[in-house]
Amino acid sequence: MRQSNFWKITGIGNLFMVGISGTSLDQNTLSLIKDFGISKFILFSRNTKKGPKTLKQLCKDLKEACRQEGLTPLIAIDQEGGPVRRLTPPLYPDMPSPQEVITSNQPEIEMERLAQLSVAILKPFGIDINLAPVLDLCLEGEKHVLEGRCFGSDPEKVSTLGAIYIEQIERLGIMATAKHFPGIGRVQLDPHHHLPIVSANEEELFREMR
């Protein structure tokens, strides 16, 4: 049995979510689907750069290829608003950042609007999962890697706003993702490139999560 067939037959491939290289369904991606049984994909800016028409076709082709193999497709993307979004103007609609939401006069109402706008942007393309919201706490007065992406430093406020976002976006048909690893709001260097270090002790971390 070839290794690729083993992945598909045993369902191991179904445990993975992978990125793809371009803006269209290529032979490498088809092999991931047909030979390895992979049906979950995450999109990045490299996949969306040619605009809405091309992106819609990519998502359609990915899903059709998965279904032809008897697989259930799922397509995810990071569209938080602000510094992290894969669909950016002028090709795609603008959207506020979490920072703009929490500093508005009516943050709860603005959070509902952010969720609704997220769905309005993503759903027409057939995107199933938005990798948002960020629910880590960001400490005031400190430089941190999640700057502009957090809902603040107050656990109660963050959980309230996060719940509003999740309830709204899932009610409208897009799955949400609460992220990241607890405590990363204290990290100052990008953990994609550096080993993250959190200097807080256990008591401080648990106090922030209450």
Side-chain angles (χ1 to χ4, degrees):
M1 184 185 298
R2 290 193 309 159
Q3 183 180 6
S4 57
N5 289 338
F6 177 79
W7 277 51
K8 187 173 183 180
I9 292 170
T10 59
I12 292 175
N14 198 42
L15 301 176
F16 287 78
M17 177 174 283
V18 304
I20 60 178
S21 59
T23 57
S24 62
L25 181 62
D26 58 15
Q27 288 302 313
N28 288 335
T29 306
L30 273 174
S31 176
L32 291 175
I33 297 169
K34 293 182 176 182
D35 298 331
F36 291 87
I38 290 174
S39 62
K40 300 177 180 70
F41 299 93
I42 177 172
L43 302 179
F44 294 95
S45 298
R46 63 177 179 264
N47 310 120
T48 70
K49 62 184 180 181
K50 287 191 176 179
K53 184 177 180 180
T54 302
L55 175 58
K56 189 170 185 177
Q57 188 64 50
L58 171 62
C59 293
K60 179 182 177 182
D61 292 344
L62 282 171
K63 292 195 169 188
E64 286 182 354
C66 290
R67 289 174 180 139
Q68 286 175 6
E69 297 298 315
L71 303 170
T72 301
L74 284 175
I75 299 176
I77 199 168
D78 289 278
Q79 191 70 10
E80 299 171 13
V84 175
R85 47 184 170 163
R86 311 308 181 199
L87 309 178
T88 56
L91 293 176
Y92 303 94
D94 199 4
M95 58 190 301
S97 68
Q99 185 66 32
E100 291 173 308
V101 169
I102 65 173
T103 55
S104 67
N105 293 329
Q106 298 176 304
E108 294 185 6
I109 292 176
E110 292 303 318
M111 186 58 67
E112 286 188 14
R113 291 176 179 167
L114 178 62
Q116 292 164 2
L117 178 58
S118 300
V119 174
I121 293 173
L122 300 180
K123 203 167 185 179
F125 298 113
I127 294 171
D128 307 290
I129 306 171
N130 191 16
L131 301 174
V134 172
L135 296 184
D136 293 288
L137 303 181
C138 291
L139 301 185
E140 296 177 357
E142 292 191 22
K143 179 179 174 59
H144 47 75
V145 72
L146 297 181
E147 195 161 359
R149 301 172 59 191
C150 297
F151 298 157
S153 59
D154 179 356
E156 185 173 347
K157 180 179 179 181
V158 169
S159 61
T160 297
L161 293 175
I164 289 171
Y165 184 92
I166 291 170
E167 288 169 4
Q168 282 290 316
I169 199 173
E170 295 200 338
R171 180 180 66 83
L172 296 171
I174 298 285
M175 288 180 273
T177 308
K179 62 183 188 183
H180 289 82
F181 188 84
I184 201 172
R186 287 176 170 268
V187 172
Q188 296 185 350
L189 298 176
D190 188 343
H192 293 91
H193 305 290
H194 306 275
L195 180 67
I197 297 174
V198 176
S199 59
N201 59 40
E202 184 178 357
E203 182 182 349
E204 290 173 313
L205 290 176
F206 274 98
R207 185 170 62 247
E208 291 171 5
M209 289 190 287
R210 288 174 189 158

